[in-house]
Amino acid sequence: MFRLISGIRGPSGFGSASTAEHVTQGIDAANLTAIITGGASGIGLETTRVLASRNAHVIIAARNMEAANQAKQLILKDSENARVDVLKLDLSSLKSVKAFADNFIALNLPLNILINNAGIMFCPYQLSEDGIEIQFATNHLGHFYLTNLLLDKMKETAKCTGVEGRIVNLSSVAHIHPYKRGIRFEKINDKSRYDDKRAYGQSKLANILHANELSRHLKAEGVNITANAVHPGLIMTNLFKHTGFFMKMLKFFSSCILWKNVPQGAATTCYVAVHPSLKGVSGKYFSDCNESKPSRMARDEVLAKKLWEFSNKLVNAAQNS
């Protein structure tokens, strides 16, 4: 907490006050292609802008195509040579996730970086079109399925180019506040005891568990791809649209010590995605551009394996329905 408030740099040389531009200074990403889910707004847009400014080819994966195209034009206005493309993706729909993956693979592009950034927060109870609680479906399951569909392309790219692939899951400090046992495997869609805050915490816990288990799979295969999770910090973006007055008041009274601006919020994502000092680092959790220790549940390998199997079952069930 002291480091967050003070902005003092950690072992990486960066801290809570560092921006995405700062942590990527001097990095030439011209040989990298990245997909950023939710790259049309908030910290996703800043991540897109900064990686594109470092010469990476960035694909914005977004549900709102109008916003995505506006984001692209905004980036091109500042840098006419930026390589930015947009593809439609609705993470709450496994059908849309499959269509996105098929459309991307059809472009015959390499894929070095996958940033699972998009998310929703504190939503009223709702089921996705696949019949899954909406926060779990969007924040975790959609990204889980997307990652699986793109993994062969990432493996192929890493093998052919010799360049390390990187997968970054955006989690949150909210992962420390899930339901009592972490993931409600048997009651994932239980409306009677639905709690919007704990459901969000559950989905963010799942993001870390997914990255950790994926990292173990990749290491076992000897694949040149890393998987890590990050906490971007508290940033007032559209994620807070369901929290209304309470979060605005919280920000008002704590803005000087707890909240980051968008360039600072995108820093940890960009650091983990492209910084050369993290070559070979996998299965870790980062906050304020430094490795951090997540909750006990987030480090539970048994829970991570159970989530992996559970997620595969949900995806298979949706495909067969």
Side-chain angles (χ1 to χ4, degrees), residues 163-176:
V163 177
E164 178 182 80
R166 296 189 182 183
I167 298 168
V168 184
N169 282 0
L170 264 74
S171 180
S172 167
V173 70
H175 81 272
I176 68 175

Side-chain angles (χ1 to χ4, degrees), residues 63-104:
R63 181 175 52 185
N64 186 330
M65 291 301 286
E66 181 180 355
N69 281 302
Q70 288 176 352
K72 176 181 177 178
Q73 293 307 313
L74 183 67
I75 293 169
L76 290 176
K77 185 177 180 180
D78 286 342
S79 178
E80 62 181 17
N81 294 321
R83 295 179 294 160
V84 180
D85 289 302
V86 300
L87 285 175
K88 186 174 180 60
L89 171 64
D90 180 353
L91 285 160
S92 70
S93 163
L94 296 181
K95 180 179 179 181
S96 176
V97 173
K98 180 65 165 61
F100 171 88
D102 288 344
N103 289 335
F104 173 77

Side-chain angles (χ1 to χ4, degrees), residues 209 212 216 295-305:
L209 292 170
N212 290 350
R216 284 188 280 271
S295 71
R296 177 185 57 80
M297 281 187 180
R299 305 191 307 273
D300 188 329
E301 293 189 18
V302 174
L303 186 60
K305 290 176 182 177

Side-chain angles (χ1 to χ4, degrees), residues 23-284:
V23 303
T24 59
Q25 189 172 6
I27 293 176
D28 183 5
N31 64 332
L32 301 178
T33 299
I35 290 175
I36 303 176
T37 68
S41 63
I43 60 175
L45 173 55
E46 178 67 0
T47 301
T48 299
R49 185 189 72 80
V50 170
L51 292 188
S53 76
R54 303 310 184 206
N55 303 315
H57 182 185
V58 183
I59 289 82
I60 297 175
R63 181 175 52 185
N64 186 330
M65 291 301 286
E66 181 180 355
N69 281 302
Q70 288 176 352
K72 176 181 177 178
Q73 293 307 313
L74 183 67
I75 293 169
L76 290 176
K77 185 177 180 180
D78 286 342
S79 178
E80 62 181 17
N81 294 321
R83 295 179 294 160
V84 180
D85 289 302
V86 300
L87 285 175
K88 186 174 180 60
L89 171 64
D90 180 353
L91 285 160
S92 70
S93 163
L94 296 181
K95 180 179 179 181
S96 176
V97 173
K98 180 65 165 61
F100 171 88
D102 288 344
N103 289 335
F104 173 77
I105 291 170
L107 295 175
N108 199 29
L109 293 171
L111 181 58
N112 307 95
I113 301 168
L114 173 60
I115 300 178
N116 291 320
N117 164 84
I120 55 177
M121 183 178 185
F122 301 165
C123 304
Y125 181 83
Q126 181 183 343
L127 296 180
S128 71
E129 70 174 45
D130 301 298
I132 309 297
E133 187 274 308
I134 195 69
Q135 293 194 81
F136 188 83
T138 304
N139 296 348
H140 166 65
L141 195 63
H143 282 129
F144 174 85
Y145 187 38
L146 176 66
T147 303
N148 284 355
L149 292 172
L150 296 176
L151 207 48
D152 282 344
K153 172 57 71 172
M154 292 195 73
K155 291 176 182 178
E156 175 190 318
T157 301
K159 183 177 181 180
C160 292
T161 64
V163 177
E164 178 182 80
R166 296 189 182 183
I167 298 168
V168 184
N169 282 0
L170 264 74
S171 180
S172 167
V173 70
H175 81 272
I176 68 175
H177 188 63
Y179 291 106
K180 185 176 181 180
R181 296 183 180 178
I183 311 293
R184 299 202 305 176
F185 295 108
E186 306 303 324
K187 298 181 179 180
I188 199 70
N189 298 327
D190 185 0
K191 183 177 182 180
S192 64
R193 296 185 180 180
Y194 177 76
D195 182 299
D196 58 354
K197 310 299 188 298
R198 290 189 182 276
Y200 179 70
Q202 171 182 247
S203 70
K204 295 290 100 180
L205 172 62
N207 292 148
I208 301 176
L209 292 170
H210 171 222
N212 290 350
E213 185 64 13
L214 176 59
S215 174
R216 284 188 280 271
H217 282 243
L218 295 170
K219 287 178 181 178
E221 291 182 47
V223 179
N224 190 24
I225 300 172
T226 64
N228 293 291
V230 305
H231 166 50
L234 287 173
I235 309 102
M236 185 60 78
T237 67
N238 288 336
L239 268 183
F240 287 96
K241 66 183 179 181
H242 292 293
T243 63
F245 179 76
F246 172 75
M247 293 307 297
K248 289 179 181 178
M249 290 301 293
L250 176 61
K251 187 187 179 194
F252 177 79
F253 287 109
S254 62
S255 59
C256 294
I257 59 173
L258 294 178
W259 294 76
K260 295 182 178 183
N261 58 38
V262 170
Q264 292 169 338
T268 305
T269 302
C270 289
Y271 172 69
V272 175
V274 299
H275 203 278
S277 68
L278 293 184
K279 182 176 175 59
V281 176
S282 190
K284 304 298 182 180

